[in-house]
Amino acid sequence: MRQGQISTTGHALLGLLSFAGEVSGYELKQLADRTLRFFWVSPAMSQVYSELGTLDRAGLVEAREEAANGPRPARRYRLTPAGEEELRRWLAQSDVGFPVIKHGVALRLFLGHMVSPDRMEEMLQRYTEQLEGRTAELAQIREGLGDDPAYRYAALVAEWGQRYYREEAEAVQVVLEALSRPRT
Amino acid sequence: MRQGQISTTGHALLGLLSFAGEVSGYELKQLADRTLRFFWVSPAMSQVYSELGTLDRAGLVEAREEAANGPRPARRYRLTPAGEEELRRWLAQSDVGFPVIKHGVALRLFLGHMVSPDRMEEMLQRYTEQLEGRTAELAQIREGLGDDPAYRYAALVAEWGQRYYREEAEAVQVVLEALSRPRT
DNA sequence: TGTAGCATGTAAGCCGTTACATGATTGA
DNA sequence: TCAATCATGTAACGGCTTACATGCTACA
């Protein structure tokens, strides 16, 4: 029942459970891949399991054992009242750091004096393609949310993400143009 | 002389040394705070020192001991030819992952169904202010770079960053407006 | 005289990943 | 019958942070 030692990712999983009702570790990971991935990090499968263990020991989630078909039990987890309380407390009190970005493309552009122009252009082009892929994924997710008020906030975040990807694509075009101009 | 075990942050520091000439660990950290921080992560002081140790043992940087004023020697590091080679190799060959964002504001917006409207608005307002601060910092850095071709790429990254902060601020305004409208 | 900045490091520990281990079910 | 997907976990380790330890110099 000790707390304060739950990580942000732990709280994020708690948050997913507040939507999801009762899910297995496996399903929780899939949900994270469709949501958290876009604005946080989708934890590895193994971390989902270990985090659920921690949350369970802290009394913040509850496991229900299903008919074990195999050597290990099949568990489904749901939020406990204490878990919901902790989540609300964390949302109300934790301090919100400025976003941290690990942007490999920007890092390599910054070190452009050591990269061949061809490689640089290829990298930026590839990033543009990846952005298109992500935009498409996110558009599909946004569509799936519809205008159901239950997903109001998820929809806002998805729209924010789409905006961001669009802007990134434009910024990359600006960089490509600047690079194609001979330097003064 | 073993390599392939240098982390991305290690390579980023190698990259900073390719600009900086010869610097102390302390100066390298300061440089990282003015550059890496905006698109990667500025490593903790202690990590700068341990990373320099690793790079030294790998022959990628070279330390020159200065008159030790105190119990510990004062070291200044510079890139070796092997270090420059490794940096070029890494830039040419390493695969560039899609950027990873840990966006605490978006995470909390996503969980908006558990946050009071007041707290949410306060959080978004605060983020706007932080964005203004960052924008000002970055504007100053961009100015300092001038149009010196040596800082061509740094300038491009700084401009990209400014664009990004501006867009984030606009996106937050859109969210605030959406939240202030009564839901359908 | 005390505090901020310059300066270098070690130790402990958290967060998270990859690799490994195991097995059932479903469909091509 | 083979591969993919569902499903649950352990072990080892990397990367990074915070806390701690130490001491000089300049300045208010």
Side-chain angles (χ1 to χ4, degrees), chain A residues 25-26 30 45-46 49 72-73 75 102:
Chain A
Y26 194 89
Q30 289 182 318
M45 197 66 252
S46 67
Y49 286 116
R72 279 178 304 272
R75 294 195 178 90
K102 290 198 163 193

Side-chain angles (χ1 to χ4, degrees), chain B residues 90-105:
Chain B
W90 179 77
L91 285 166
Q93 292 175 16
S94 63
D95 67 282
V96 186
F98 195 83
V100 171
I101 307 194
K102 290 199 163 193
H103 201 307
V105 177

Side-chain angles (χ1 to χ4, degrees), chain B residues 12-85:
Chain B
L13 292 180
L14 236 35
L16 289 185
L17 285 171
S18 81
F19 287 103
E22 203 190 38
V23 290
S24 67
Y26 193 89
E27 288 165 340
L28 191 56
K29 164 64 173 163
Q30 289 182 318
L31 183 52
D33 284 342
R34 273 177 292 127
T35 55
L36 289 189
R37 183 162 61 99
F38 293 97
F39 49 82
W40 192 252
V41 155
S42 188
M45 198 65 253
S46 67
Q47 201 198 346
V48 171
Y49 287 115
S50 64
E51 202 67 51
L52 281 170
T54 304
L55 295 172
D56 193 3
R57 280 190 298 282
L60 305 178
V61 303
E62 207 172 30
R64 192 169 58 83
E65 224 116 308
E66 278 199 339
N69 53 343
R72 280 178 302 273
R75 295 197 176 88
R76 320 205 99 231
Y77 295 86
R78 71 182 128 80
L79 208 55
T80 62
E84 187 177 323
E85 203 183 315

Side-chain angles (χ1 to χ4, degrees), chain B residues 141-148 151 155:
Chain B
I141 288 168
R142 174 63 192 91
E143 253 179 71
L145 295 172
D147 58 357
D148 187 337
Y151 300 129

